[in-house]
Amino acid sequence: MKVLMFGWEYPPHVYGGLATANFGISEGLHAQGDVDITLCLPKPWGDEDRTYARIVPMNCVPIAYRDVNFDYVSSRVGNLMDPHEYYRYRDHIYADFNFMHVNDLGCMEFAGGYPGNLHEEINNYSIIAGVVARSEEFDIIHAHDWLTYPAGIHAKQVSGKPLCIHVHATDYDRSRGHVNPTVYSIEKDGMDHADCIMCVSDLTRNTVINQYHQDPRKVFTVHNAVYPLNDEYNAIPRPDHTNKEKVVTFLGRLTMQKGPEYFVEAANMVLHRTRNIRFCMAGSGDMMDQMIYLAAERGIADRFHFPGFMRGKQVYECLKDSDVYVMPSVSEPFGISPLEAMQCGTPTIISKQSGCAEILNNCIKVDYWDIHALADSIYSICHNDSLFHYLQEEGKREVDQITWEKVGRWIRELYMRTMHWI
């Protein structure tokens, strides 16, 4: 089975949970043994892991004909693409795009990540998808998140192959219901054209059905999973904080959706009962300054740390150095970070309004707005060794069973159903 997959980010260049999920899904599908993935990315850097997918750099796919020699092409595309692939794509250009801003190879440049001209890049990406869809052999299309839905739709129109879209989040979640009409329309258009919609939780599935008015018969829940810790991360020591200050951590985007203010308010309540705890708010976002000011207003700034955005090994060092991990999200489609925390042996508190709450049992669940319950839970884990060790051991045992291979098996079955192979 050949899959043409459209993604926006991929490790080691991680901007959020989308890269982590995209890699995990690729790994899980590869583990099935009969799934070959061609993964399109706007601007790969060349250091991506290509074990589970063949990566197509969309910034090296020509959309305008250029008469260039092989050696020049080779020097320009470097280790991103085999030069022969460039010429194969060039032979499938389907329109005159010379009016676009193309470079000397007839390719469009991408900034990568989430630049100010994001909507322009999404449109450019979808144009290139037409060339790729004409050039590649595949059975089904899989588009990740709203950024790639237009590309998936174009590939479907070009090839006639079925389209699966993967809803990792919706603007309805990100905005607490105050949607950006442009983003909402892109999301809905993708869902309307999709033959199969995969949602990362029942919570997201219900949003897709009720807020985007989709047929429940084509909407399925596909929960995320977590990678096994590699040797490098396993080797990170876990400090013993017995009779020392405890560390309580929030790790995520500092945005309205993630509920950072509830973490600060709960921390304030805990620190009225004990001063022997430090709070770490790791991440970046538009609410960072507001959270720093809030901690200062509550008189707890000396107990708060704001280390900024973390990636890779830094994340696991932070999680292993924590006695409690907290995710108080207001609306979280899934949330992989609690699984990573539990995997590191860190007791975890999550909001009942998160998708991962549907599959996790050995953690504490509270309503995001209930700062009293959140404060009590933090205090209890920090001061009750039996509770700490129970959540530590049982939590790790639980998440070790939540694997991407199982996710890949379910996605493969959904592919088969969508193509009417079963």
Coordinates of all heavy atoms in Angstrom, one line a residue, residues 269-315:
M269 N -2.1 29.1 45.5 CA -2.8 28.5 46.6 C -1.9 27.5 47.3 O -1.9 27.4 48.5 CB -4.1 27.8 46.1 CG -5.1 28.7 45.5 SD -6.6 27.9 44.9 CE -7.3 27.5 46.5
V270 N -1.1 26.7 46.5 CA -0.2 25.7 47.1 C 0.9 26.5 48.0 O 1.2 26.0 49.1 CB 0.5 24.9 46.0 CG1 1.6 24.1 46.6 CG2 -0.5 24.0 45.3
L271 N 1.4 27.6 47.5 CA 2.4 28.3 48.2 C 2.0 29.0 49.4 O 2.8 29.5 50.2 CB 3.1 29.3 47.2 CG 4.0 28.6 46.1 CD1 4.4 29.6 45.0 CD2 5.2 27.9 46.7
H272 N 0.6 29.1 49.6 CA 0.1 29.6 50.9 C 0.2 28.5 52.0 O 0.1 28.8 53.2 CB -1.3 30.1 50.7 CG -1.5 31.5 50.2 ND1 -1.5 31.8 48.9 CD2 -1.5 32.7 50.9 CE1 -1.6 33.1 48.7 NE2 -1.6 33.7 49.9
R273 N 0.4 27.2 51.5 CA 0.4 26.1 52.5 C 1.9 25.7 52.7 O 2.2 25.1 53.7 CB -0.4 25.0 51.9 CG -1.9 25.3 51.8 CD -2.6 24.3 50.9 NE -2.8 23.0 51.6 CZ -3.5 22.0 51.1 NH1 -4.0 22.1 49.8 NH2 -3.6 20.9 51.7
T274 N 2.7 25.9 51.7 CA 4.1 25.5 51.8 C 5.0 26.3 50.9 O 4.5 26.7 49.8 CB 4.3 24.0 51.5 OG1 5.7 23.6 51.5 CG2 3.8 23.6 50.1
R275 N 6.2 26.6 51.3 CA 7.1 27.3 50.4 C 8.2 26.4 49.9 O 9.2 26.9 49.3 CB 7.8 28.5 51.2 CG 6.8 29.5 51.7 CD 6.1 30.3 50.6 NE 6.9 31.2 49.9 CZ 6.5 32.1 49.0 NH1 5.2 32.1 48.6 NH2 7.4 32.9 48.4
N276 N 8.0 25.1 50.1 CA 9.1 24.2 49.7 C 8.9 23.6 48.3 O 9.2 22.4 48.0 CB 9.1 23.0 50.8 CG 10.5 22.3 50.8 OD1 11.5 23.0 50.6 ND2 10.5 21.0 51.0
I277 N 8.2 24.3 47.4 CA 8.0 23.9 46.1 C 8.4 25.0 45.1 O 8.1 26.2 45.3 CB 6.5 23.5 45.9 CG1 6.1 22.4 46.8 CG2 6.2 23.1 44.4 CD1 4.6 22.0 46.7
R278 N 9.0 24.6 44.0 CA 9.3 25.5 42.9 C 8.4 25.2 41.7 O 8.1 24.0 41.4 CB 10.8 25.5 42.5 CG 11.7 26.2 43.6 CD 13.1 26.3 43.1 NE 13.9 27.0 44.1 CZ 13.9 28.3 44.2 NH1 13.3 29.1 43.4 NH2 14.7 28.9 45.1
F279 N 8.0 26.2 41.0 CA 7.1 26.0 39.8 C 7.9 26.4 38.5 O 8.5 27.5 38.5 CB 5.8 26.8 40.0 CG 4.9 26.2 41.0 CD1 5.1 26.6 42.4 CD2 3.9 25.3 40.8 CE1 4.3 26.1 43.4 CE2 3.1 24.8 41.8 CZ 3.3 25.2 43.1
C280 N 7.8 25.5 37.5 CA 8.5 25.7 36.3 C 7.4 25.8 35.2 O 6.6 24.9 35.0 CB 9.4 24.5 36.0 SG 10.2 24.6 34.3
M281 N 7.4 27.0 34.5 CA 6.5 27.2 33.4 C 7.3 27.2 32.1 O 7.8 28.3 31.7 CB 5.7 28.4 33.6 CG 4.6 28.6 32.5 SD 3.4 29.9 33.0 CE 2.1 28.8 33.5
A282 N 7.5 26.0 31.5 CA 8.4 25.9 30.3 C 7.5 26.1 29.0 O 6.5 25.5 28.9 CB 9.1 24.6 30.3
G283 N 8.0 26.9 28.1 CA 7.3 27.1 26.8 C 7.3 28.6 26.5 O 7.8 29.4 27.2
S284 N 6.7 28.9 25.4 CA 6.6 30.3 24.9 C 5.2 30.5 24.3 O 4.5 29.5 24.0 CB 7.7 30.6 23.9 OG 7.5 29.7 22.8
G285 N 4.8 31.7 24.2 CA 3.5 32.0 23.6 C 3.1 33.4 23.9 O 3.7 34.2 24.6
D286 N 1.9 33.8 23.4 CA 1.4 35.2 23.6 C 1.0 35.6 25.0 O 0.8 36.7 25.3 CB 0.3 35.5 22.6 CG -0.9 34.5 22.7 OD1 -1.0 33.9 23.8 OD2 -1.7 34.5 21.8
M287 N 0.9 34.6 25.9 CA 0.5 34.9 27.3 C 1.7 34.9 28.2 O 1.6 35.0 29.4 CB -0.5 33.9 27.7 CG -1.9 34.1 27.1 SD -3.2 32.9 27.7 CE -3.4 33.6 29.4
M288 N 2.9 34.7 27.7 CA 4.1 34.6 28.6 C 4.3 35.8 29.5 O 4.4 35.7 30.7 CB 5.4 34.4 27.7 CG 6.6 34.1 28.6 SD 8.0 33.5 27.7 CE 9.1 32.9 29.0
D289 N 4.3 37.0 28.9 CA 4.4 38.3 29.7 C 3.3 38.4 30.7 O 3.6 38.7 31.9 CB 4.4 39.5 28.8 CG 5.7 39.6 28.0 OD1 6.7 38.9 28.3 OD2 5.7 40.4 27.0
Q290 N 2.1 38.0 30.3 CA 1.0 38.1 31.2 C 1.2 37.1 32.4 O 0.8 37.5 33.6 CB -0.3 37.7 30.4 CG -1.6 37.8 31.2 CD -2.8 37.4 30.4 OE1 -2.7 37.4 29.2 NE2 -3.9 37.0 31.1
M291 N 1.7 36.0 32.2 CA 2.0 35.0 33.3 C 3.1 35.4 34.2 O 3.0 35.2 35.4 CB 2.3 33.6 32.7 CG 1.1 32.9 31.9 SD -0.4 32.8 33.0 CE -1.3 34.2 32.4
I292 N 4.1 36.1 33.6 CA 5.2 36.6 34.5 C 4.6 37.7 35.4 O 4.9 37.7 36.6 CB 6.3 37.2 33.6 CG1 7.0 36.0 32.8 CG2 7.3 37.9 34.4 CD1 8.0 36.5 31.8
Y293 N 3.8 38.6 34.8 CA 3.2 39.6 35.6 C 2.2 39.1 36.7 O 2.2 39.5 37.8 CB 2.4 40.6 34.7 CG 3.3 41.5 33.9 CD1 3.0 41.7 32.5 CD2 4.4 42.2 34.4 CE1 3.9 42.5 31.7 CE2 5.2 43.0 33.7 CZ 5.0 43.1 32.3 OH 5.8 43.9 31.5
L294 N 1.5 38.0 36.3 CA 0.5 37.4 37.3 C 1.3 36.8 38.4 O 0.8 36.9 39.6 CB -0.3 36.4 36.5 CG -1.4 35.6 37.4 CD1 -2.4 36.7 38.0 CD2 -2.1 34.6 36.5
A295 N 2.4 36.1 38.2 CA 3.2 35.5 39.2 C 3.7 36.6 40.2 O 3.7 36.4 41.4 CB 4.3 34.7 38.7
A296 N 4.1 37.7 39.6 CA 4.6 38.8 40.4 C 3.5 39.5 41.2 O 3.7 39.8 42.4 CB 5.2 39.9 39.5
E297 N 2.3 39.6 40.6 CA 1.2 40.2 41.3 C 0.8 39.3 42.5 O 0.4 39.8 43.6 CB 0.0 40.4 40.4 CG 0.1 41.5 39.4 CD -1.0 41.5 38.4 OE1 -1.9 40.6 38.5 OE2 -1.0 42.3 37.5
R298 N 0.9 38.0 42.4 CA 0.5 37.1 43.5 C 1.6 37.0 44.5 O 1.5 36.3 45.5 CB 0.2 35.7 42.9 CG -1.0 35.7 42.0 CD -2.3 36.0 42.7 NE -3.5 35.9 41.8 CZ -4.0 37.0 41.3 NH1 -3.5 38.2 41.5 NH2 -5.1 36.9 40.5
G299 N 2.8 37.6 44.3 CA 3.9 37.5 45.2 C 4.6 36.2 45.3 O 5.2 35.9 46.3
I300 N 4.6 35.5 44.1 CA 5.2 34.2 44.1 C 6.3 34.1 43.0 O 6.7 33.0 42.7 CB 4.2 33.1 43.9 CG1 3.4 33.3 42.6 CG2 3.2 32.9 45.0 CD1 2.4 32.2 42.2
A301 N 6.8 35.2 42.5 CA 7.8 35.3 41.5 C 9.1 34.6 41.9 O 9.8 34.0 41.0 CB 8.1 36.7 41.0
D302 N 9.4 34.6 43.2 CA 10.6 34.0 43.6 C 10.5 32.4 43.6 O 11.5 31.7 43.7 CB 11.0 34.4 45.1 CG 9.9 34.0 46.1 OD1 8.7 34.1 45.7 OD2 10.3 33.6 47.2
R303 N 9.3 31.9 43.4 CA 9.1 30.5 43.3 C 8.9 30.0 41.9 O 8.6 28.8 41.7 CB 7.9 30.1 44.2 CG 8.0 30.4 45.7 CD 8.8 29.3 46.4 NE 10.2 29.7 46.6 CZ 11.2 28.8 47.0 NH1 10.9 27.6 47.3 NH2 12.4 29.3 47.1
F304 N 8.9 30.9 41.0 CA 8.5 30.6 39.6 C 9.8 30.7 38.7 O 10.6 31.6 38.8 CB 7.4 31.5 39.1 CG 6.1 30.8 38.9 CD1 5.3 30.7 40.0 CD2 5.7 30.3 37.7 CE1 4.0 30.1 39.9 CE2 4.5 29.7 37.6 CZ 3.6 29.5 38.7
H305 N 9.8 29.8 37.7 CA 10.9 29.9 36.7 C 10.3 29.8 35.3 O 9.3 29.0 35.1 CB 11.8 28.7 36.9 CG 12.5 28.7 38.2 ND1 13.7 29.2 38.5 CD2 12.1 28.2 39.4 CE1 14.0 29.1 39.8 NE2 13.0 28.4 40.3
F306 N 10.8 30.6 34.3 CA 10.3 30.6 33.0 C 11.4 30.3 32.0 O 12.1 31.3 31.5 CB 9.6 32.0 32.7 CG 8.4 32.3 33.4 CD1 8.4 32.9 34.7 CD2 7.1 31.9 32.9 CE1 7.3 33.1 35.4 CE2 6.0 32.2 33.6 CZ 6.0 32.8 34.9
P307 N 11.8 29.1 31.8 CA 13.0 28.7 31.0 C 12.8 28.9 29.5 O 13.7 28.8 28.7 CB 13.3 27.3 31.4 CG 11.9 26.7 31.7 CD 11.2 27.8 32.4
G308 N 11.5 29.1 29.0 CA 11.3 29.3 27.6 C 11.0 28.0 26.9 O 10.8 27.0 27.5
F309 N 11.0 28.1 25.5 CA 10.7 26.9 24.7 C 11.8 25.8 24.8 O 13.0 26.1 24.8 CB 10.6 27.4 23.2 CG 10.2 26.3 22.3 CD1 8.8 25.9 22.2 CD2 11.1 25.6 21.5 CE1 8.4 24.9 21.3 CE2 10.7 24.6 20.6 CZ 9.4 24.2 20.6
M310 N 11.3 24.6 24.9 CA 12.3 23.5 25.0 C 12.0 22.5 23.9 O 10.8 22.3 23.4 CB 12.1 22.8 26.3 CG 12.5 23.6 27.5 SD 12.4 22.6 29.1 CE 13.2 23.8 30.2
R311 N 13.0 21.7 23.5 CA 12.8 20.7 22.5 C 13.8 19.6 22.7 O 14.9 19.7 23.4 CB 13.0 21.2 21.1 CG 14.4 21.8 20.8 CD 14.6 22.0 19.2 NE 13.5 22.7 18.6 CZ 13.5 24.0 18.4 NH1 14.5 24.8 18.9 NH2 12.5 24.6 17.7
G312 N 13.5 18.4 22.2 CA 14.4 17.2 22.3 C 14.8 16.8 23.7 O 14.0 16.7 24.6
K313 N 16.1 16.7 23.9 CA 16.6 16.2 25.2 C 16.2 17.2 26.3 O 16.0 16.7 27.5 CB 18.1 16.1 25.1 CG 18.7 15.4 26.4 CD 20.2 15.2 26.2 CE 20.9 14.6 27.4 NZ 22.3 14.4 27.2
Q314 N 16.1 18.5 26.1 CA 15.7 19.4 27.1 C 14.4 19.1 27.7 O 14.2 19.2 28.9 CB 15.7 20.8 26.5 CG 17.0 21.4 26.0 CD 16.8 22.8 25.3 OE1 15.8 22.9 24.6 NE2 17.6 23.7 25.6
V315 N 13.5 18.6 26.9 CA 12.1 18.3 27.4 C 12.2 17.2 28.4 O 11.6 17.2 29.5 CB 11.2 17.9 26.2 CG1 9.9 17.3 26.7 CG2 10.9 19.1 25.3

